[in-house]
Amino acid sequence: MDVNVAAAAACAIAGLGVGLTASIAFRWSEREQAKGRHSGTNRNQGLGPAQEPPLPPGVDTVLSVLRSCAIVLGEGDEVVKASSAAYAMGLVRGGAVALDQLLALARGTRRDGEIRQLELELPRPGAARAADPLAVSVRVAPLGSRLVLVLVEDQTERRRVEAVRRDFVANVSHELKTPVGALSLLSEAVADAADDPEAVQRFAGRMQIEATRLASLVQEIIDLSRVQDDRLMVDPEPVAVDELIAEAIDRCRQQAAAKQILIAAGGIEGLYLHGNRGQLAAALGNLVENAVNYSPPRTRVAIATRRISSAAALGEADGELIEISVTDQGIGISEKDRERVFERFYRVDPARSRQTGGTGLGLSIVKHVAASHGGTVSVWSVEGQGSTFTVRLPAGQAPVDRPPVGGPPQSLSETTPQLAPEA
């Protein structure tokens, strides 16, 4: 009996020892595992916890070279990665997507894995509400099993160019239709009046006018197509401003004489520009021709030149600009028209343009020539008093193998009729 009790006590003590030993071993194992996890976390603290990286390998590099705005969203619509352009465009604010349309597309793609595309108009960041919105193309695609990629491409400039191209084609078609239709009708009239020499001569004169207008329109379309890209000139040459002015005056001499308009030129002599001589001559010729055409008889057109600082004129790095101003005493331009006079085919006075044969492309050519030569053109005008168009272009250097050109005459009264005395 005593032996049995002693044996039972011994077994109980042995079981208690095994339990304590197992418990201690289990606690020690847990402590070692926790220590190992903590050590692993410390070893990876530069890259975050030891888990799958946020972006698949190489994706970050690809996103950095994309021209589109790129946003990578996580499972909870959080922004995992966003390009600087996405922040600049206002698509991401405070680490979250700011547009509900983008979130809806991303959630739909995350749900079914389908690629989605949408065209949107977004307000310009920091601009007034009345400003034209940004036209963007949005494309959303799954990126792995957890992430969604949102690409947003700004299509505003492309759409503007397409609209300009459509308007240009429509306007060219309309402008060409007018003289071509007139020539067709006049040719029929000549055929019907074959027995009337006087009528034939009259219709032939009208045909010559319409043919001249058609040739002028075609030439200006060609000139505009050459300069409308606003690209800087390739292989420019020194161009004497005095020669450009003399050529522009000679181009308008007949019209000025017919209206008894005095053309006077003055300013600094011996100035040079650096660019394409033909384009510069066409631009200045258009300004002087417009001044003559839109001025009443017995008035004055003045051409002035001077050298100015680009820092004072444009607020840019200090340099020298050549300023050429053409002033008339014509009908003037209203404030609403001043914003549009440099548009293609825009006419302040359509009736007067038809009388003078104007095409509405002259000032557009001037604007593009100035831009392609790194300059600007502006207009000041008061209705009923006249207008001043001013072109500012970077100054050039005179060629070393050529002496300075003499300046334009201060007054061209010897070749252009003087203003007749008042009655």
Side-chain angles (χ1 to χ4, degrees):
M1 184 81 173
D2 293 337
V3 174
N4 291 336
V5 173
C11 290
I13 294 173
L16 181 60
V18 172
L20 289 174
T21 303
S23 177
I24 293 172
F26 179 76
R27 295 292 181 90
W28 180 84
S29 176
E30 280 190 337
R31 185 177 302 175
E32 289 298 316
Q33 291 180 7
K35 186 183 299 184
R37 287 194 299 267
H38 181 69
S39 176
T41 301
N42 290 338
R43 286 194 302 268
N44 293 285
Q45 62 183 355
L47 299 175
Q51 59 183 5
E52 183 183 358
L55 294 177
V59 172
D60 197 3
T61 303
V62 173
L63 295 181
S64 65
V65 298
L66 285 178
R67 298 178 61 182
S68 307
C69 298
I71 307 172
V72 178
L73 298 180
E75 293 178 308
D77 293 334
E78 73 278 6
V79 176
V80 177
K81 175 74 175 180
S83 63
S84 58
Y87 288 94
M89 195 178 289
L91 302 177
V92 178
R93 297 193 187 99
V97 175
L99 297 177
D100 294 336
Q101 299 99 316
L102 297 185
L103 285 177
L105 288 176
R107 290 165 182 168
T109 297
R110 186 184 296 111
R111 182 174 57 253
D112 54 27
E114 293 185 1
I115 297 176
R116 286 173 167 79
Q117 190 164 350
L118 183 65
E119 304 288 333
L120 295 175
E121 288 189 351
L122 308 178
R124 293 180 180 270
R129 292 186 177 181
D132 294 335
L134 295 174
V136 299
S137 175
V138 181
R139 188 174 179 86
V140 183
L143 187 63
S145 59
R146 302 180 300 107
L147 306 177
V148 174
L149 174 63
V150 180
L151 296 177
V152 181
E153 186 173 358
D154 189 355
Q155 302 285 332
T156 307
E157 182 63 18
R158 182 180 64 82
R159 291 190 181 182
R160 185 192 69 81
V161 172
E162 289 178 354
V164 169
R165 185 181 292 111
R166 287 195 301 269
D167 293 343
F168 181 71
V169 172
N171 288 329
V172 167
S173 302
H174 175 74
E175 294 296 333
L176 289 174
K177 183 179 179 180
T178 301
V180 169
L183 287 172
S184 177
L185 293 175
L186 288 169
S187 63
E188 293 178 3
V190 169
D192 294 338
D195 298 332
D196 187 351
E198 184 177 346
V200 169
Q201 186 175 5
R202 184 173 68 254
F203 292 141
R206 287 292 305 164
M207 290 179 68
Q208 183 64 35
I209 293 175
E210 294 299 334
T212 302
R213 179 178 298 178
L214 180 60
S216 176
L217 175 60
V218 172
Q219 183 59 49
E220 290 198 342
I221 292 174
I222 294 173
D223 292 341
L224 182 60
S225 67
R226 291 173 177 170
V227 300
Q228 65 182 350
D229 289 337
D230 295 347
R231 296 175 181 173
L232 296 179
M233 292 292 97
V234 178
D235 298 328
E237 60 178 337
V239 181
V241 175
D242 300 333
E243 292 181 356
L244 295 177
I245 294 176
E247 185 175 334
I249 293 174
D250 188 64
R251 170 177 167 177
C252 306
R253 193 180 304 277
Q254 185 176 356
Q255 299 98 307
K259 299 173 68 174
Q260 293 187 322
I261 292 177
L262 173 65
I263 304 179
I268 301 177
E269 302 178 2
L271 299 177
Y272 276 83
L273 299 172
H274 209 54
N276 184 289
R277 191 185 191 286
Q279 292 181 6
L280 292 171
L284 185 57
N286 286 341
L287 289 181
V288 177
E289 187 174 20
N290 271 7
V292 172
N293 288 338
Y294 284 88
S295 294
R298 298 157 53 86
T299 55
R300 178 187 180 96
V301 171
I303 307 172
T305 59
R306 64 172 182 160
R307 190 191 301 268
I308 62 174
S309 168
S310 61
L314 304 177
E316 298 178 352
D318 194 15
E320 287 190 337
L321 296 175
I322 303 300
E323 183 179 273
I324 306 174
S325 299
V326 179
T327 303
D328 62 59
Q329 297 173 312
I331 60 176
I333 306 172
S334 66
E335 184 177 356
K336 65 180 182 66
D337 288 325
R338 285 199 295 272
E339 300 177 356
R340 303 189 59 189
V341 290
F342 296 104
E343 295 180 9
R344 300 173 180 89
F345 296 107
Y346 186 79
R347 297 179 175 91
V348 175
D349 187 348
R352 185 181 292 267
S353 295
R354 285 193 295 269
Q355 294 173 3
T356 61
T359 63
L361 291 176
L363 292 180
S364 181
I365 292 174
V366 174
K367 182 191 73 171
H368 287 293
V369 169
S372 65
H373 285 74
T376 61
V377 60
S378 59
V379 58
W380 172 93
S381 185
V382 176
E383 289 187 88
Q385 297 185 22
S387 306
T388 297
F389 286 85
T390 302
V391 179
R392 295 187 177 99
L393 300 169
Q397 299 294 330
V400 294
D401 57 344
R402 179 178 177 182
V405 178
Q410 296 298 315
S411 176
L412 300 178
S413 57
E414 69 276 7
T415 56
T416 304
Q418 291 277 11
L419 299 182
E422 296 292 339

